Amino acid sequence: MVLSRQKARLLAGLAVVAAVTGMTATASWAHDPDTPAGRDAARRFLVDREPVSKAAPITGAAATPCVNGTAAGYPCKGVDLLSVLPMNSIGGGQGNDIWGWTDQLTGKEYALMGRTNGTAFVDISTPTSPIYLGNLPTHSGTAPWRDIKVYKDHAFIVADVSGHGMQVFDLTRLRNISSPQKFTADKHYAQFGNAHNIAINEATGYAYAVGSNTCSGGPHMVDIRTPKTPVSAGCVAADGYTHDTQCVIYKGPDATYTGRELCFNANEDTLTIVDVTNKATPKQVVRKTYNGSAYSHQGWLTEDHKYFLLDDELDEQKRSVNTQTYIWNVQDLDAPVHTGTYTAPSKAIDHNQYVLGNYSYQANYRAGLRIVDISKVATAQLTEAAYFDIYPADSNGSFNGAWSTYPYFPSGNVVISGIEQGLFVVKPQLGNIPPPTGQAYTNDTDVAIQDKATVVSEIPITARSGNASSAVKVDVRIRHTYRGDLAIDVVAPDGTAYRVKDPSNGDGADDVVATYTINASSEPINGTWKLRIQDLYTGDTGTLDSWTITP
């Protein structure tokens, strides 16, 4: 690769940092080195590196409750400690990103934690006694920045180091592991080298690698609907480097974009929204800066897609302010409005946040996990509801401590990745924090849909009690060249059919990507639920990619 003069100067500087930290920084260029803000962000991050913690694991006992503001020596409020695995017990190196996987077959929960030298897989099904299952080594060189997401029981892993590309790992291989393994990837995608982050829209089966050496650093789109056969799908390059993104099928109030696939990009100094429905011709919807911008880092939509919460990684240091969360009203996507800024109690730098219900789960470096009540986001009034601080020494504005968090396990347990500290499993215990919505069950085995044929896909549900809800959610993902040919029913265990889609001669569009709601409150949850698809005409065929039911 031919480096620009700016990249070369940055990498020379990072080589000095690498000599101090022991990390190979000379091939990693997170935070776009072609911009002053990017170079400054990378420099500040690497200079703060500290040695990893040598503390002993905390496992095997009962949960340690948060009492009088502390749990096993960690400051807390409303969050209990379940376990801690330091870095040297999960493969070494320093920590970075984290994500989770729930095995729909067994119900087991797993933490997938990025490290400078690879990816650790940890069974946290017994959260007080997590089991390290092994390591997938980095594809090329040590990387302070690694990122992981999951789709169809596969992990997709990128790293900000030259030549790494995207590793694809079949997570079902973890089911029968009894001792730590050294794993190999099932597939390697090499159409980019370094990438800073990866996002996946599970509703469409597309991955978005951002901050790579392609697409001017913007989203590099990959079709992963067949996980072990990823295919390049296009570039979003109009606004240059994207640091992180969330891509969704839009369901908010702006009718112009209902059902469109949109990416909400943190682009260093702006919130940039892009319509990527047509991968060949992505369209930039809007590009907006904001007062207080220092380095637009990452953000997440509220579940109704009305608001977007954005974190800025350098404002705390550059402006000497406490942790800031920028609140955007995105109900008019052509003209989003920065309606207010939440200021947290500490001076820690915010890093990654994810929304679940009325709460944003934030990993704020030296302040640890912060759970923010966003129920009054419409009036830009956020408040801190709970926290668990994995860096007890202080909550200053330096790049140590909590890198990221994952709050989407059906159990309600939350995992935190600590750069120096390792893996934490915790349990929020605030009575007014709603648990995750009903457990979802997925069948992602492809089923071919032939002309004038009927196909059925089954999901067995066991070990539940009571009836299904009056608002059962059914997510359906079908590839088809004429969706009007299709009639779709959800069939309850007793044979009762609930029609969710009628055929329509006039609907010649491709694919069915939809969420349907049925009232199945008279049906017991336990039993075999079926998705029945009828192709009523000739000339077009397709494939059922997956369907999910949340009863």
Side-chain angles (χ1 to χ4, degrees):
M1 175 184 302
V2 178
L3 300 181
S4 68
R5 284 191 295 272
Q6 288 172 312
K7 278 191 175 80
R9 285 196 296 270
L10 173 66
L11 298 183
L14 296 189
V16 175
V17 176
V20 176
T21 63
M23 288 188 280
T24 304
T26 55
S28 182
W29 43 81
H31 306 94
D32 185 10
D34 286 330
T35 67
R39 293 191 296 275
D40 188 38
R43 178 190 62 80
R44 289 170 184 262
F45 177 83
L46 288 171
V47 164
D48 281 347
R49 297 300 89 229
E50 293 181 345
V52 297
S53 169
K54 297 185 182 300
I58 299 176
T59 64
T64 305
C66 179
V67 177
N68 297 324
T70 186
Y74 294 99
C76 58
K77 173 186 173 183
V79 181
D80 295 342
L81 175 65
L82 302 180
S83 58
V84 183
L85 290 180
M87 294 304 305
N88 61 11
S89 64
I90 55 172
Q94 292 199 323
N96 41 57
D97 189 48
I98 197 164
W99 205 245
W101 175 57
T102 301
D103 187 342
Q104 298 294 333
L105 181 66
T106 65
K108 285 190 171 185
E109 297 176 349
Y110 298 84
L112 320 177
M113 182 165 164
R115 307 179 338 274
T116 52
N117 54 347
T119 303
F121 301 98
V122 182
D123 181 346
I124 60 166
S125 302
T126 303
T128 54
S129 298
I131 302 170
Y132 171 58
L133 301 178
N135 173 49
L136 175 63
T138 183
H139 184 79
S140 63
T142 302
W145 295 276
R146 190 176 307 277
D147 204 68
I148 309 154
K149 296 296 184 294
V150 170
Y151 173 70
K152 277 191 173 182
D153 298 331
H154 288 73
F156 297 81
I157 304 163
V158 301
D160 212 341
V161 61
S162 180
H164 187 278
M166 180 175 73
Q167 296 170 300
V168 182
F169 180 80
D170 186 341
L171 293 165
T172 64
R173 293 165 58 187
L174 302 178
R175 286 174 178 158
N176 300 309
I177 300 298
S178 58
S179 60
Q181 307 287 307
K182 181 180 179 181
F183 295 108
T184 57
D186 291 277
K187 179 69 177 179
H188 179 251
Y189 177 87
Q191 308 240 353
F192 57 81
N194 64 289
H196 190 63
N197 275 298
I198 185 170
I200 292 177
N201 185 357
E202 295 183 47
T204 62
Y206 282 86
Y208 300 84
V210 297
S212 80
N213 60 319
T214 63
C215 305
S216 298
H220 177 123
M221 299 180 283
V222 187
D223 182 346
I224 59 169
R225 288 177 291 181
T226 303
K228 293 186 180 71
T229 312
V231 178
S232 177
C235 275
V236 179
D239 193 34
Y241 188 93
T242 296
H243 185 274
D244 210 337
T245 188
Q246 182 189 11
C247 300
V248 299
I249 296 295
Y250 178 71
K251 62 179 183 181
D254 190 335
T256 303
Y257 297 95
T258 299
R260 307 289 293 179
E261 185 171 12
L262 304 179
C263 290
F264 291 74
N265 299 338
N267 274 22
E268 297 196 301
D269 58 356
T270 63
L271 167 62
T272 300
I273 304 173
V274 182
D275 185 335
V276 296
T277 308
N278 186 334
K279 305 297 183 291
T281 57
K283 178 184 176 183
Q284 184 167 296
V285 176
V286 71
R287 180 182 187 275
K288 293 281 287 187
T289 189
Y290 53 97
N291 290 333
S293 167
Y295 194 85
S296 308
H297 183 268
Q298 185 261 0
W300 212 253
L301 287 161
T302 56
E303 292 182 348
D304 58 11
H305 291 183
K306 291 182 178 180
Y307 302 93
F308 186 77
L309 305 180
L310 176 70
D311 50 75
D312 187 302
E313 196 176 28
L314 294 185
D315 54 352
E316 290 83 13
Q317 286 190 343
K318 288 191 170 183
R319 295 172 46 226
S320 298
V321 294
N322 282 15
T323 311
Q324 307 276 284
T325 301
Y326 296 85
I327 304 162
W328 290 84
N329 183 326
V330 291
Q331 296 182 64
D332 179 353
L333 290 167
D334 295 306
V337 178
H338 172 210
T339 58
T341 302
Y342 163 66
T343 300
S346 81
K347 293 186 176 296
I349 300 167
D350 44 351
H351 196 226
N352 290 306
Q353 63 179 317
Y354 299 99
V355 171
L356 176 63
N358 286 327
Y359 292 86
S360 174
Y361 291 72
Q362 302 184 345
N364 291 348
Y365 283 118
R366 288 193 178 194
L369 170 69
R370 299 282 155 162
I371 303 175
V372 178
D373 185 336
I374 62 171
S375 59
K376 296 182 179 179
V377 66
T379 55
Q381 298 179 62
L382 309 187
T383 56
E384 185 170 88
Y387 62 84
F388 191 92
D389 188 352
I390 72 169
Y391 194 96
D394 62 63
S395 294
N396 295 336
S398 297
F399 293 94
N400 313 99
W403 180 290
S404 197
T405 184
Y406 179 84
Y408 299 117
F409 290 115
S411 65
N413 296 331
V414 174
V415 290
I416 311 164
S417 58
I419 299 170
E420 302 90 0
Q421 297 76 20
L423 170 66
F424 288 72
V425 186
V426 300
K427 181 82 167 188
Q429 291 291 0
L430 289 185
N432 63 340
I433 295 183
T437 54
Q439 182 173 349
Y441 301 84
T442 299
N443 186 335
D444 57 15
T445 301
D446 289 352
V447 179
I449 304 170
Q450 304 297 334
D451 280 333
K452 303 200 75 170
T454 298
V455 299
V456 173
S457 176
E458 298 183 346
I459 294 179
I461 298 177
T462 59
R464 296 287 299 274
S465 60
N467 285 2
S469 79
S470 60
V472 172
K473 300 294 185 186
V474 181
D475 296 294
V476 178
R477 307 289 176 253
I478 297 172
R479 283 178 279 165
H480 199 278
T481 50
Y482 199 102
R483 67 187 180 197
D485 287 0
L486 303 179
I488 304 175
D489 298 285
V490 177
V491 183
D494 68 355
T496 302
Y498 297 82
R499 174 59 55 92
V500 294
K501 181 188 178 300
D502 288 312
S504 174
N505 252 336
D507 186 358
D510 291 346
D511 302 339
V512 176
V513 179
T515 299
Y516 305 105
T517 302
I518 61 173
N519 182 351
S521 56
S522 63
E523 309 285 351
I525 292 180
N526 285 340
T528 298
W529 294 77
K530 301 175 183 178
L531 188 73
R532 183 172 66 203
I533 304 166
Q534 302 174 71
D535 188 318
L536 300 174
Y537 302 96
T538 59
D540 295 272
T541 60
T543 302
L544 169 64
D545 271 342
S546 68
W547 70 289
T548 299
I549 185 168
T550 307

